[in-house]
Amino acid sequence: GAPLAPPPLRIVARFLDTVILGVINFLVALMVLGTDDSAGFNGFGGDAGFWTLYALSLIGVAIAFVWDATLTRLYGGTPMKLALGMCVVRADNGGQVEWRHAITRWAIPGAFSVIPLPFLSGLLGLVVVVVSLVYIFTKPLRQAVWDQVAKTLVVRPAR
């Protein structure tokens, strides 16, 4: 019964969530790598080995999982979705999402992050995002790829 969230508002929320996650991941990387010359950010990646960087990316995936899937399951959306007056609901009955919905929504774009080939994971992720952008502007229910697979909607409930 609640109106669907407008695509530009969804994009702003995702952008802000991504910026915040980027800052969190950067701070975690600083703590893990330190700032000394042996594995620091002087020429980031030059001194740190592949497995160290891969481990950092897996930590980033775990943080993104908590931020996106866990908070969507517990509170109905990511912090920026909620701050902008949106929430994620089940498409079948408009009820609160369950774990399977929240994990599926997160896994569609998030799963590419664990592929240890940065170019391939980035390319696949980009394709999913571009297709999702087209979908939220053109599909009647404004469902991104992850919404369609998870059977969810993003709405703006009355306050």
Side-chain angles (χ1 to χ4, degrees), residues 1 9-10 18 22 30 36 45 68 74 83 93 102 104 110 124 139 149-150:
L9 197 59
R10 289 182 67 175
T18 302
L30 270 179
D36 64 319
D68 200 313
L74 297 177
N93 66 9
T104 302
L124 292 172
K139 295 286 185 179
V149 174

Side-chain angles (χ1 to χ4, degrees), residues 41 62 70 77 82 103-104:
F41 278 96
T70 303
L82 297 173
I103 291 170
T104 302

Side-chain angles (χ1 to χ4, degrees), residues 14 104-113 115 120-136 143-149:
R14 176 59 68 181
T104 302
R105 283 186 99 254
W106 170 81
I108 298 303
F112 298 118
S113 302
I115 298 172
L120 180 61
S121 66
L123 181 63
L124 292 172
L126 180 64
V127 168
V128 169
V129 168
V130 169
V131 170
S132 292
L133 283 170
V134 170
Y135 283 1
I136 67 172
Q143 290 176 298
V145 172
W146 44 86
D147 290 312
Q148 291 179 16
V149 174

Side-chain angles (χ1 to χ4, degrees), residues 66-78 88 96-97 102 105:
V66 170
W67 185 271
D68 200 313
T70 303
L71 295 178
T72 296
R73 169 58 183 99
L74 297 177
Y75 301 105
T78 62
V88 179
Q96 183 178 3
V97 296
R105 283 186 99 254

Side-chain angles (χ1 to χ4, degrees), residues 10-116:
R10 289 182 67 175
I11 292 167
V12 168
R14 176 59 68 181
F15 175 77
L16 294 174
D17 279 326
T18 302
V19 168
I20 294 168
L21 279 171
V23 170
I24 292 169
N25 285 327
F26 178 76
L27 294 174
V28 168
L30 270 179
M31 288 189 297
V32 170
L33 294 177
T35 55
D36 64 319
D37 288 335
S38 64
F41 278 96
N42 299 336
F44 178 71
D47 293 335
F50 171 81
W51 292 110
T52 302
L53 296 176
Y54 188 63
L56 275 174
S57 72
L58 292 179
I59 292 168
V61 168
I63 292 169
F65 176 83
V66 170
W67 185 271
D68 200 313
T70 303
L71 295 178
T72 296
R73 169 58 183 99
L74 297 177
Y75 301 105
T78 62
M80 292 297 101
K81 265 192 190 68
L82 297 173
L84 295 175
M86 297 177 283
C87 67
V88 179
V89 297
R90 293 172 50 172
D92 60 355
N93 66 9
Q96 183 178 3
V97 296
E98 297 173 4
W99 280 110
R100 63 187 165 97
H101 302 106
I103 291 170
T104 302
R105 283 186 99 254
W106 170 81
I108 298 303
F112 298 118
S113 302
V114 298
I115 298 172

